[in-house]
Every structure is written in structure tokens, then in C-alpha cells.
Amino acid sequence: MEPTAQAFSRSRRSVRLSFRFVGEEITLFDRRGLAQAALPSAVLDPRTTGEWTGSWFELQDDSGRPRYRRPMPHPLLLRSEGPEEEGGAPRTVIWAPQRGAFSLVVPDVPEGDVVVFASPVDRPDVPQPAGEILRVPLRAPTSGSTSERSG
């Protein structure tokens, strides 16, 4: 196993990144170190934008290779399930709130970008290919900024 992959797989610390969104504009508002390991990575099969639906996040090394991946609920959509009327069949309702927040926990490693992929929110009931919706460096920029915006 190459050294970078080893660092991504055995980190005993993690980083929680917290984001706010208004519409589809996403802003990082908090970055905290945690004294616990992140959940294990999902399989790092090759994924090409446009081939997969759903949503997930990755920690990519400096050359863009995924070293950690976790599935996640769509960060800009909410789902609720319940019957339309008493005793009726359950129905799932999906909507895109105008504003909200979400957090991600990733292994604490020296370098890399956190990248979020998700299907478009315009027709959440129709499977659509996922694309990159957010990319932030795991480490804070040296300029002292505490907030980044999606690119």
C-alpha cells in the first residue's frame, strides 16, 4: 500500500466540516478536529462523473485520487415518509429547502480536498447523474480565512 493510502486508512483522528447553504450556494462555516476515527471508507471503485446517481463525499489526495469515500443523503434535499391520510399507504415527499446545514466527518490527514458529489435537485424523483457540487481543502487556507465557498 502506498504511503498516502496508508495515512488515509489509519488516521485515529478526524475532522468535522460544517456547511450552511442558501439555495445551491454552500459555505463552510466550521472546521473542527475530533479525537475519534472517522467511519470506515466505502469501496473505492473508480467513479466517473456522469456514471453514478445519488450522493457521496470523498477525501481526495493532491492528485485527485479518492482515498476515502462515504455515501450520504443528498445535502440539499429533505425526505419525509408518511401516509397521506389516516390508514393510507405511505408516501415519500422530497423537497429542496431554501436554506439548511450539514456536516461531514473525514479522516484527519495532512493534505487533500473534500469533494461532495450529488445528483441535481431540480427533479429529485428522477434518477440523474451526480456531479461535483462542492470542493474544499481539508486544511484551512494559510490566509486565515475560516470560510470557503463552493466552486
Side-chain angles (χ1 to χ4, degrees), residues 6-77:
Q6 288 176 351
F8 277 72
S9 66
R10 68 175 181 216
S11 177
R12 299 219 184 270
R13 295 188 53 83
S14 57
V15 177
R16 181 178 56 224
L17 302 170
S18 297
F19 301 91
R20 289 186 186 112
F21 66 90
V22 176
E24 292 186 26
E25 182 73 19
I26 304 169
T27 305
L28 174 66
F29 73 88
D30 191 39
R31 180 190 322 252
R32 290 190 191 258
L34 302 174
Q36 65 186 46
L39 292 172
S41 178
V43 175
L44 294 174
D45 55 347
R47 294 187 179 196
T48 304
T49 302
E51 290 183 2
W52 297 82
T53 63
S55 52
W56 67 93
F57 65 94
E58 295 178 350
L59 183 51
Q60 296 180 354
D61 65 17
D62 287 341
S63 63
R65 290 182 308 223
R67 297 302 187 182
Y68 178 84
R69 179 182 293 146
R70 293 290 307 167
M72 65 185 287
H74 197 296
L76 307 180
L77 293 176

Side-chain angles (χ1 to χ4, degrees), residues 45-128:
D45 55 347
R47 294 187 179 196
T48 304
T49 302
E51 290 183 2
W52 297 82
T53 63
S55 52
W56 67 93
F57 65 94
E58 295 178 350
L59 183 51
Q60 296 180 354
D61 65 17
D62 287 341
S63 63
R65 290 182 308 223
R67 297 302 187 182
Y68 178 84
R69 179 182 293 146
R70 293 290 307 167
M72 65 185 287
H74 197 296
L76 307 180
L77 293 176
L78 294 176
R79 299 174 189 269
S80 68
E81 189 174 311
E84 285 187 41
E85 54 190 55
E86 191 173 326
R91 180 179 148 227
T92 300
V93 177
I94 304 168
W95 73 97
Q98 293 301 308
R99 57 182 356 130
F102 64 95
S103 294
L104 306 174
V105 176
V106 298
D108 187 359
V109 295
E111 79 238 357
D113 287 343
V114 176
V115 185
V116 177
F117 296 88
S119 294
V121 297
D122 60 341
R123 303 237 3 241
D125 53 328
V126 176
Q128 298 179 68

